[in-house]
Amino acid sequence: MVNILFGNNKGGVGKTYVTVQIAHALAAKGLKVAVVDLDPQANASRQLGWKFDPAQPVATISEAIQTATAGLASQVTVATQKWDGEETAIDLLPSRHDLENRISEAATVGAVRRLVKVLDGWQDQYDVVLIDTPPSLGHLTQLGLAAAHMVVCVTEPAYDAIEGAIRFKEFVEQHAADLANPNLRFGGVVVNRVQNVNEHKFQLEGFRDQMGELIFSPTLPTRIAAAEASAAAAPIAAWGTEHATTYDELAQAIIDAAKEIAV
């Protein structure tokens, strides 16, 4: 079992979409997968087919973190639908906008370890748990970092996004011990929305000089199918495109990197 956090200090890089599609790709490989949505925007929840219904309210990750009871994740888990090729459904700890309220509790003693308690025991039933985080280095992301075993940063080959990725990597390496998670490992970077233009080539070349083998292969090209799959809350494989094969290869590269630290 391994918990993998996806993040970047820069928003708008497609981090949530990549997280969800990697979850689908891993499930299609027969792994038992769960996704923890730590972003108040709840886009990962929506892209996995879940939406909060005020007429039939249910507890979400927000209430679980607030209560911080060991193993409470089991009481807020929802199963998403299976898609062709997936042997198991992807379980989800869903989010909604009120997760933002947990930020004000950051100064509470032990607050950064609340997610660790919530996942205790529950996470052991999965091969991999993917944690989607907001574009921030603040409290919600730190909750995820405290509970993760490996971090994957998602970025674009653009100056600001790359700066955000570098900042994110430095934060993980400098503050893992401060989050009571000294064994946390920065696993690598997914480069998303790559276009065949000179600016992207220039930025990617410089980024490779800085990150080297930490950049996962393959990189992800810009495809209209990605936007369509996101809007439809569906795996990219449902489009039957070559892009799906790219995600299969990327998912394998990420899980291979995680095998060294699986617990």
Side-chain angles (χ1 to χ4, degrees), residues 6-29:
F6 287 73
N8 191 332
N9 191 45
K10 172 72 170 62
V13 297
K15 167 186 54 60
T16 295
Y17 175 77
V18 169
T19 305
V20 169
Q21 293 303 326
I22 292 297
H24 281 301
L26 293 174
K29 293 177 183 295

Side-chain angles (χ1 to χ4, degrees), residues 1-3 30-33 123-129 255 262:
M1 183 278 300
V2 63
N3 297 346
L31 298 181
K32 191 169 184 183
V33 181
Q123 63 192 2
D124 297 336
Q125 65 186 295
Y126 300 99
D127 297 307
V128 58
V129 176
I255 207 65

Side-chain angles (χ1 to χ4, degrees), residues 214-225:
L214 285 175
I215 296 180
F216 284 111
S217 180
T219 58
L220 298 172
T222 297
R223 291 288 185 271
I224 188 62

Side-chain angles (χ1 to χ4, degrees), residues 29-154:
K29 293 177 183 295
L31 298 181
K32 191 169 184 183
V33 181
V35 173
V36 180
D37 190 351
L38 276 186
D39 192 334
Q41 297 180 82
N43 290 332
S45 299
R46 200 277 306 166
Q47 290 182 33
L48 284 166
W50 185 90
K51 186 176 181 180
F52 185 79
D53 182 359
Q56 295 180 308
V58 297
T60 65
I61 191 65
S62 177
E63 288 81 10
I65 290 172
Q66 183 180 36
T67 305
T69 301
L72 192 60
S74 62
Q75 297 184 32
V76 299
T77 304
V78 297
T80 63
Q81 73 181 88
K82 292 182 183 179
W83 291 87
D84 289 345
E86 293 182 354
E87 296 185 13
T88 59
I90 298 169
D91 283 350
L92 169 69
L93 298 188
S95 176
R96 61 189 299 261
H97 63 84
D98 66 345
L99 178 58
E100 197 83 34
N101 295 332
R102 304 285 75 81
I103 296 175
S104 65
E105 300 165 358
T108 305
V109 174
V112 78
R113 299 285 292 172
R114 285 183 175 184
L115 182 62
V116 173
K117 294 180 180 179
V118 168
L119 302 185
D120 184 36
W122 169 87
Q123 63 192 2
D124 297 336
Q125 65 186 295
Y126 300 99
D127 297 307
V128 58
V129 176
L130 306 184
I131 304 173
D132 185 45
T133 57
S136 165
L137 296 175
H139 181 58
L140 294 178
T141 296
Q142 291 178 31
L143 283 168
L145 291 172
H149 303 115
M150 187 176 87
V151 172
V152 172
C153 184
V154 180

